[in-house]
Amino acid sequence: MAKLVILTQGMTGRAHELNVDRTTIGRVEDNTFQIADPSVSSHHCEVLLRSGEIFIRDLGSTNGSFIGDARITESVLKPGQTLRLGQVELRLDADQASAPPAAAPSPAPPRPASAPPLTPKRASESTMVIPRGVSLSELETGGRGPGFDTTSSVFSKKKNKGGFYFWIVAAVGVLIIIVLIIVALMNVNTQR
């Protein structure tokens, strides 16, 4: 029996046997194989068993489905190959009895009529987008991309007007206190 085994740390060893014609994989509970990881879409992909082969079909996921390093929309997954959904890696394990024969790849199967329609995602089911990083050409040129010119900036340092007004009020207050002390001393001297 073929099975998908999770390789990603923290979920290592979790597996799901592929014993039905259609297995859905995603983050939410209504999937056949739930993978609760924020990089996995709520309904990420489906696994189809057709003519002794295992097909992976991406269901419009945010972070994509990959076999090896190649992004796929639909492709055959062979035993030992790695399937990546977002940042979660899985390997297809199959015992020799159920391993598909090494034959020429057949065309992708049509979407089964019995497949349920895709439902719109709720806000609570949103997928975290994984940033892809910096390209090699950006590293070589040292550029930061358009809009990041540090020599001429439209932004200026914010002036602290509150601090300015505080010192004015404090100076006026000190002057008033000094004047009151002088007036008080003059009254004391005139009374003697």
Side-chain angles (χ1 to χ4, degrees):
M1 180 64 54
K3 63 182 175 180
L4 287 171
V5 179
I6 299 180
L7 304 174
T8 302
Q9 189 173 12
M11 294 183 263
T12 307
R14 260 191 73 207
H16 182 80
E17 288 193 8
L18 303 173
N19 52 11
V20 293
D21 289 341
R22 180 176 180 267
T23 301
T24 58
I25 302 175
R27 192 180 63 251
V28 294
E29 293 175 1
D30 65 349
N31 288 288
T32 314
F33 186 20
Q34 180 187 12
I35 302 175
D37 183 86
S39 69
V40 175
S41 290
S42 56
H43 297 96
H44 201 100
C45 70
E46 61 185 357
V47 180
L48 304 168
L49 303 179
R50 300 279 188 258
S51 305
E53 292 187 307
I54 298 172
F55 288 88
I56 306 296
R57 179 183 293 148
D58 188 85
L59 297 175
S61 64
T62 302
N63 293 318
S65 298
F66 296 80
I67 294 180
D69 289 331
R71 186 174 186 143
I72 57 114
T73 53
E74 187 168 328
S75 184
V76 174
L77 181 65
K78 299 195 180 296
Q81 284 186 315
T82 301
L83 170 66
R84 183 168 49 89
L85 310 176
Q87 290 189 339
V88 177
E89 289 191 345
L90 305 99
R91 182 184 63 239
L92 178 62
D93 286 347
D95 34 345
Q96 297 302 333
S98 66
S106 61
R111 185 166 177 87
S114 63
L118 298 176
T119 57
K121 294 180 182 181
R122 296 185 297 252
S124 64
E125 296 177 354
S126 63
T127 302
M128 176 184 72
V129 177
I130 301 170
R132 290 289 180 205
V134 179
S135 72
L136 183 58
S137 62
E138 289 176 326
L139 286 175
E140 290 171 347
T141 61
R144 295 176 130 181
F148 284 100
D149 183 12
T150 57
T151 58
S152 64
S153 177
V154 294
F155 299 107
S156 61
K157 185 176 177 182
K158 184 178 177 183
K159 295 182 180 178
N160 190 355
K161 291 183 179 180
F164 176 74
Y165 292 128
F166 170 79
W167 288 113
I168 290 175
V169 170
V172 169
V174 169
L175 285 174
I176 292 172
I177 291 172
I178 291 173
V179 168
L180 289 175
I181 291 174
I182 292 173
V183 169
L185 288 174
M186 292 171 83
N187 284 339
V188 168
N189 288 336
T190 57
Q191 289 178 358
R192 285 190 194 176

